[in-house]
Amino acid sequence: MTLGEIETWVGGKLEAFKLRMRIGTTAEDDNLKQMLTSSAMTLIRLTGANALDDPTLVSLIFDRARYEYNDALDEFMGNYQVEINMLYVQYSLGDDADDIEPETG
């Protein structure tokens, strides 16, 4: 995934993020775009995700940006480690993840 693709995605998601954060002005748009971009890049690197339309990935990107906005980024990894690991497994298994059947006892 290229930086340009991520920046385009961020441009399309900025209003949704602002709504979630209850930010009604445009004064912080550049700062919010930077936070969303860095969050997307970080989570793509951590999980190996290749689809920015994955609802879990989008939620994690928004949550990481929210933590950054509130100067609590140091707490994000610990609080979302399970979700990050689940996405990592999902994307590292690729199509094979759909073939996994639960064990029956």
Side-chain angles (χ1 to χ4, degrees), residues 6-7 25 27 32 40-41 44 50 56-57 60 68 71 84 102 105:
I6 292 170
E7 289 173 339
T25 67
L32 296 174
M41 291 179 72
I44 288 167
N50 55 14
T56 303
L57 179 61
L60 281 172
E68 185 174 355
D71 293 323
I84 292 167

Side-chain angles (χ1 to χ4, degrees), residues 1 6 39-50 52 57:
M1 187 148 316
I6 292 170
S39 294
M41 291 179 72
T42 298
L43 288 161
I44 288 167
R45 288 182 184 133
L46 284 172
T47 64
N50 55 14
L52 281 169
L57 179 61

Side-chain angles (χ1 to χ4, degrees), residues 69-95:
Y69 183 84
N70 290 306
D71 293 323
L73 196 52
D74 57 325
E75 299 172 20
F76 174 78
M77 290 296 289
N79 291 342
Y80 288 90
Q81 192 65 50
V82 170
E83 292 86 349
I84 292 167
N85 287 342
M86 287 183 351
L87 272 183
Y88 173 77
V89 169
Q90 174 186 331
Y91 283 101
S92 63
L93 291 175
D95 292 334

